[in-house]
Amino acid sequence: MSKVKTYLLLRHVRIHNANAFSSPLTIGFPAMTAWLGAMHALERKIRCNEALPSIRLKKLAVSCHDFDLQTYKGPGDYVNSVIITSNPLRKKGSSFERPPFIEEARVHLTVSLLIEADGLVPGSFSLFIEKVAEALRGMKIAGGDILAFSPFSSIKDSMKSTSTCNSRILLVDEDNEKDVRRAIRSLMPGYVLIERRQLLRKRQEETEHKDTLQAMLDLLALHYKYDDEQDTWHLQPRQEKGWLVPIVTGFKGLTPLGHVANQRDASTLHRFAEPVLTLGEFKMAHRFEGIDEMMWQYHYDEDKGLYVCVNEQMGSSETDKGED
């Protein structure tokens, strides 16, 4: 028996000044916790409406169309510098000085989001997209402002048309290949971020690396070879194909759950945590066979203190392997 799933497609969401410091070790694409956090925030805003109390936004895929990291590399520079805002001078005695600042890496980007929705019935489609559009106008994603997004198609056109140029609701029959390909095509042209935790784990096993970070650096490192005859250096191809990147997918608890002095919310348990860094890959959307291959969802492991976003299937014996 075929199963029809409902997806919310948000096309060409333009985000200004999103946070590019995804962890103490990485700069670039915002962490997956930011994207799923935005999905969760959107769900909570929608559920405030009395007619939409059962809405659940469960999974999400992110396709990046444009990426403008706010860094600068001048002629002869070896590293990039972060472009920061210039704050007004402050008075000091009879002169003025620059106020102290904290470097904040920012990025302007355009993405499309495909979100799996549950608890949505055809009679509430119009109200749903109205509330989604209303919520997006007042939201932030990864700390960045939403400047614009493709307008929603009318419900009448959305049910009849197969176009995915605008934001819309997609009804996808998992057994219908045309439906599946249409949903995947809706994220083109762009690169979809997925998890490659299994590749990192495989690398650790091959090299017997106890340090996960070192295994990741081995996969990401670029190696050059010197050519004596031509007196030049040549970039060597990586052993693993694909656009591999380090990504942050969540947090790992460092202390037991409890209460600490001066915590913001005295009624909520508190714990110190550190970011979970693993391996990811940007992949063109048309290379996926199924929608679930692109989708991210929350995963909580109470025994190991892991609060992570996952794209690959989590095995019981490998929940924290391939992560650092």
Side-chain angles (χ1 to χ4, degrees):
M1 182 178 179
S2 62
K3 181 179 179 181
V4 177
K5 289 186 176 181
T6 305
Y7 292 92
L8 170 64
L9 172 64
L10 300 177
R11 285 280 292 172
H12 289 274
V13 182
R14 289 176 51 213
I15 305 170
H16 182 77
N17 279 346
N19 178 27
F21 267 145
S22 53
S23 82
L25 300 176
T26 55
I27 178 175
F29 200 74
M32 284 311 304
T33 49
W35 301 106
L36 266 74
M39 180 186 75
H40 181 62
L42 178 61
E43 177 192 300
R44 294 187 62 177
K45 289 178 180 290
I46 295 171
R47 285 167 57 85
C48 289
N49 188 280
E50 295 180 356
L52 301 169
S54 59
I55 295 296
R56 289 286 186 273
L57 303 182
K58 300 166 59 179
K59 301 178 183 179
L60 168 142
V62 184
S63 177
C64 185
H65 305 295
D66 184 61
F67 186 88
D68 182 14
L69 185 63
Q70 298 300 287
T71 57
Y72 173 76
K73 186 176 182 179
D77 290 351
Y78 182 71
V79 296
N80 291 283
S81 301
V82 175
I83 300 175
I84 61 175
T85 57
S86 179
N87 299 321
L89 299 176
R90 68 180 185 182
K91 191 170 184 179
K92 185 180 180 181
S94 59
S95 61
F96 292 87
E97 68 172 5
R98 289 279 182 190
F101 61 88
I102 299 175
E103 282 190 335
E104 295 179 347
R106 301 168 295 114
V107 60
H108 310 324
L109 69 167
T110 302
V111 299
S112 287
L113 305 176
L114 186 65
I115 303 173
E116 183 180 333
D118 198 10
L120 188 61
V121 295
S124 61
F125 281 177
S126 296
L127 179 61
F128 176 72
I129 63 174
E130 177 187 338
K131 293 303 177 183
V132 168
E134 180 182 316
L136 287 175
R137 294 187 186 100
M139 281 183 59
K140 287 178 175 283
I141 296 181
D145 299 311
I146 299 177
L147 299 182
F149 55 90
S150 294
F152 280 93
S153 302
S154 67
I155 292 300
K156 184 177 180 181
D157 294 339
S158 183
M159 295 300 102
K160 292 182 179 181
S161 173
T162 60
S163 172
T164 54
C165 293
N166 293 330
S167 299
R168 58 174 295 175
I169 292 174
L170 289 174
L171 299 179
V172 178
D173 183 347
E174 291 182 312
D175 294 334
N176 187 323
E177 186 178 351
K178 287 186 177 180
D179 277 5
V180 173
R181 296 310 303 173
R182 180 182 61 160
I184 294 174
R185 190 176 66 245
S186 69
L187 299 177
M188 289 292 292
Y191 287 91
V192 177
L193 182 60
I194 60 171
E195 187 179 15
R196 295 302 304 274
R197 174 171 32 86
Q198 299 293 349
L199 177 60
L200 184 56
R201 180 170 178 247
K202 178 183 175 183
R203 180 68 174 182
Q204 280 186 280
E205 293 173 348
E206 291 176 349
T207 59
E208 298 183 356
H209 272 310
K210 294 182 180 180
D211 187 351
T212 310
L213 182 59
Q214 186 58 54
M216 181 184 294
L217 291 175
D218 288 347
L219 288 167
L220 297 173
L222 297 175
H223 297 278
Y224 287 82
K225 186 177 181 180
Y226 183 71
D227 188 338
D228 292 325
E229 295 181 358
Q230 299 184 8
D231 190 24
T232 186
W233 292 86
H234 296 287
L235 178 63
Q236 302 302 298
R238 285 174 173 167
Q239 183 179 356
E240 298 293 339
K241 304 297 183 182
W243 186 357
L244 300 177
V245 292
I247 58 172
V248 174
T249 58
F251 300 92
K252 180 176 177 61
L254 298 176
T255 60
L257 286 167
H259 294 279
V260 296
N262 302 320
Q263 67 183 68
R264 291 184 179 180
D265 185 357
S267 63
T268 303
L269 293 177
H270 174 278
R271 81 188 307 176
F272 290 98
E274 64 179 354
V276 173
L277 185 68
T278 189
L279 193 66
E281 179 184 357
F282 282 106
K283 195 173 179 180
M284 290 291 283
H286 71 276
R287 297 186 179 276
F288 294 95
E289 297 296 329
I291 299 175
D292 280 340
E293 296 176 20
M294 306 183 294
M295 306 299 281
W296 290 81
Q297 60 185 322
Y298 285 120
H299 176 81
Y300 169 52
D301 190 317
E302 183 178 2
D303 295 334
K304 297 173 181 176
L306 283 172
Y307 305 80
V308 291
C309 310
V310 296
N311 170 253
E312 296 180 339
Q313 294 297 318
M314 300 290 287
S316 57
S317 62
E318 58 169 332
T319 308
D320 64 345
K321 291 183 179 180
E323 299 170 340
D324 188 51

